[in-house]
Amino acid sequence: MTAILPRPRGWPSILLARARAADPTDLDAALAAGAFEGLRRAIRQLGPAATIAEVEASGLRGRGGAGHRTAAKWRAAASTPARIRYVVANGYGADPGASTDRTLLETDPYAVVEGVAIAAFAVGAEEAFISVRTTATEALRRIQAAVDTASSRNFIGDDVLGSGVRIEIEVRPVQGAYMLGEETVLLKALDGKRGQPEQRPPHPATRGFRDAPTVIQNVQTLAAVPWILRKGAAAFAAIGTEDAPGTILVDVRGHQRSGVAEVQLGTPLRDIVALGGRPRPRRSLKAVLVGGPTGGILPAAALDTPYTFEALRGAGAHVGSGSVIVADDRACVVDLGRLLTRYSADEACGKTIPCRIGVRRIAEIGERLTTGTSRAGDLELLTDLAADVVGSGLCDHERLATLPMLSGLRYFRDEVDAHYLRGECPAGVCRPISLGVPAAARTTRGRGAARPVPSTTAARAQA
Ligand SMILES: Cc1cc2nc3c(=O)[nH]c(=O)nc-3n(C[C@H](O)[C@H](O)[C@H](O)COP(=O)(O)O)c2cc1C
Ligand code: SF4
């Protein structure tokens, strides 16, 4: 199990409120802590329309990365004429370096089950799936135990809480590559099909699993819903920011500590980074990778950025998988950008050509930068390629894949130039570079031609 980082005094806890429970699959203990009160209120007091209205009033936005408005999806699914509708909880956790969703499934499986049940009731779905990565064995064991126990006590099943409402929930282990976390790919995988992202619209809310209206949401999004119905939309809206209420899980790889933590949306990055401790003696913070493999590489100067969907996007990063990885002064941001872009290029499904070719070309520029083989105009080509690629894909991967290199260029220009113009890696990470003289430094022709800058490395190589 991933460690849970200590919560500073006064920080609210919704998703990890039961993280210290002796046995998270103990239904009686969960009931004593308020489990299934939200579902009871939805079914006995509110009804579907008022349940959606309550979620809308809370301002809940999706925790799967992009921050889509939850109630809008529910309303779209509920209002699309159909005989069958589905709810799917996305617990795949595509980022191999983040364990936020897995931690939630392990520590509060009943919140996920209840959230799925409330969503199903609200949109009129009788069947729902909770998809979890096959390798998350403990998460799978616990969520299956929670589904089985909740079903045996009529919190889900044929006759939910004696109301005549039917909600069947099935846990589906899934395994695949990075793209499997993308909603249209996951929906196909659940149907036993090999998938690539689909054109939208139609969105899954109107045409999803087996062409039926489908609410597909991240497990954290759904797990927040029981709390909202139990405590009220206003209580939820009072946490976080006006436009991004509530809390979210982050996976912090810090200077001294690593683990999952729950933070209010709007928390400054500085406070999130602090959860991982201070830099070690004689070291300093150089950069923070925010958002996972397709995240942005932000400098220490950006630490006041509030952790919200829009603010991170403005800073050149994104919420993504919730991963926040700290790099100290020994790291080379150019090499980090190269590595991440290479990963994104390898994981791109290839269905849309600008993503398939463009992201790989950007990765190649990163490889040239880190091996002393840059060509004149490479940096301009990088920004041109990124501009061409962004917006041309079917699933946003193409846009996100450009973030590591673009944020590196935006915030660490001196370090990029050292690689590009002088064939030097100031951090001493890109070792082969010391033997090379980038063409960018040798030619004055071509796009964005760079002026040669004398350096000891270059002079040595030319001698
Ligand atoms: C390449 C890619 C990978 C994704 N991986 C995940 C994932 O692992 N888990 C997840 O919840 N959403 C993932 N998403 C986002 C989903 O497509 C979808 O937007 C999300 O599950 C919707 O839930 P939400 O409204 O609760 O955020 C991914 C998106 C892309 C483009
Ligand atoms: S944007 Fe990239 S990952 Fe997404 S569908 Fe197109 S090729 Fe596949």
Side-chain angles (χ1 to χ4, degrees):
M1 255 186 77
T2 306
I4 308 237
L5 293 172
R7 183 163 49 100
R9 194 184 297 273
W11 284 27
S13 185
I14 296 172
L15 299 168
L16 291 183
R18 301 204 61 240
R20 309 275 171 216
D23 177 7
T25 63
D26 179 342
L27 179 56
D28 291 316
L31 291 173
F36 293 103
E37 282 174 18
L39 179 64
R40 198 181 300 275
R41 180 171 172 235
I43 292 182
R44 297 249 171 92
Q45 293 175 18
L46 297 176
T51 299
I52 297 178
E54 186 84 4
V55 171
E56 185 165 46
S58 77
L60 178 65
R61 295 173 65 177
R63 289 357 186 193
H68 297 302
R69 301 211 173 256
T70 301
K73 283 190 181 182
W74 291 21
R75 217 178 275 292
S79 63
T80 301
R83 202 171 50 82
I84 296 175
R85 297 184 183 82
Y86 295 99
V87 170
V88 174
N90 188 346
Y92 179 61
D95 176 358
S99 44
T100 47
D101 296 348
R102 202 178 69 208
T103 299
L104 172 69
L105 288 157
E106 287 171 357
T107 56
D108 201 351
Y110 286 113
V112 177
V113 172
E114 187 183 355
V116 170
I118 294 170
F121 171 70
V123 305
E126 294 195 344
E127 284 179 60
F129 302 95
I130 300 174
S131 51
V132 182
R133 183 184 278 268
T134 312
T135 49
T137 48
E138 192 54 22
L140 269 169
R141 189 186 72 74
R142 293 186 188 186
I143 193 70
Q144 186 65 65
V147 166
D148 292 345
T149 313
S151 180
S152 71
R153 305 260 298 261
N154 279 351
F155 288 102
I156 53 174
D158 268 350
D159 182 19
V160 178
L161 297 169
S163 64
V165 171
R166 177 174 174 263
I167 301 170
E168 302 289 349
I169 300 181
E170 189 184 331
V171 176
R172 282 284 189 94
V174 285
Q175 192 62 38
Y178 183 73
M179 293 310 299
L180 188 49
E182 198 276 338
E183 56 187 15
T184 59
V185 180
L186 183 58
L187 291 179
K188 285 219 198 97
L190 288 175
D191 208 13
K193 295 177 183 150
R194 184 176 165 272
Q196 285 181 315
E198 288 296 328
Q199 176 83 48
R200 275 147 287 182
H203 291 278
T206 53
R207 194 167 155 198
F209 186 64
R210 296 181 181 155
D211 291 338
T214 304
V215 165
I216 175 164
Q217 296 211 279
N218 178 265
V219 283
Q220 290 182 54
T221 317
L222 292 164
V225 173
W227 195 97
I228 291 167
L229 290 198
R230 198 166 75 244
K231 307 262 186 183
F236 190 81
I239 298 169
T241 70
E242 198 179 336
D243 199 42
T247 61
I248 191 165
L249 299 185
V250 287
D251 189 324
V252 180
R253 307 287 153 121
H255 292 290
Q256 299 185 11
R257 286 182 296 279
S258 296
V260 171
E262 180 170 10
V263 302
Q264 297 190 61
L265 282 155
T267 301
L269 261 181
R270 185 183 307 285
D271 296 351
I272 297 176
V273 165
L275 295 170
R278 294 165 167 279
R280 295 188 181 279
R282 293 185 298 284
R283 300 263 72 99
S284 58
L285 181 136
K286 178 171 183 177
V288 190
L289 172 65
V290 184
T294 55
I297 304 171
L298 306 185
L303 286 183
D304 289 328
T305 307
Y307 196 87
T308 65
F309 304 101
E310 282 73 24
L312 288 180
R313 187 171 173 147
H318 67 130
V319 166
S321 62
S323 149
V324 176
I325 300 175
V326 167
D328 69 23
D329 50 296
R330 290 169 294 184
C332 169
V333 294
V334 184
D335 190 51
L336 186 57
R338 169 201 67 83
L339 188 73
L340 296 169
T341 316
R342 178 64 193 261
Y343 177 83
S344 286
D346 288 348
E347 294 296 323
C349 78
K351 187 169 178 178
T352 36
I353 292 165
C355 173
R356 182 172 76 218
I357 311 279
V359 175
R360 189 154 295 283
R361 291 290 96 85
I362 294 173
E364 286 165 3
I365 292 173
E367 263 143 41
R368 290 201 288 273
L369 282 168
T370 53
T371 52
T373 54
S374 290
R375 298 175 190 155
D378 262 356
L379 297 189
E380 193 183 77
L381 180 61
L382 166 60
T383 47
D384 284 355
L385 276 169
D388 288 348
V389 163
V390 171
S392 66
L394 285 177
C395 76
D396 214 25
H397 181 67
E398 88 298 341
R399 178 179 71 80
L400 301 172
T402 65
L403 294 181
M405 289 296 280
L406 286 184
S407 54
L409 200 57
R410 172 171 166 186
Y411 293 116
F412 298 91
R413 184 63 197 239
D414 287 352
E415 189 162 347
V416 174
D417 277 349
H419 289 75
Y420 177 55
L421 297 174
R422 299 193 295 278
E424 288 177 356
C425 175
V429 170
C430 309
R431 298 218 174 268
I433 205 169
S434 60
L435 299 174
V437 185
R442 290 198 300 261
T443 177
T444 53
R445 286 199 300 273
R447 297 204 301 172
R451 275 188 303 118
V453 178
S455 76
T456 46
T457 311
R460 209 170 42 238
Q462 277 166 349

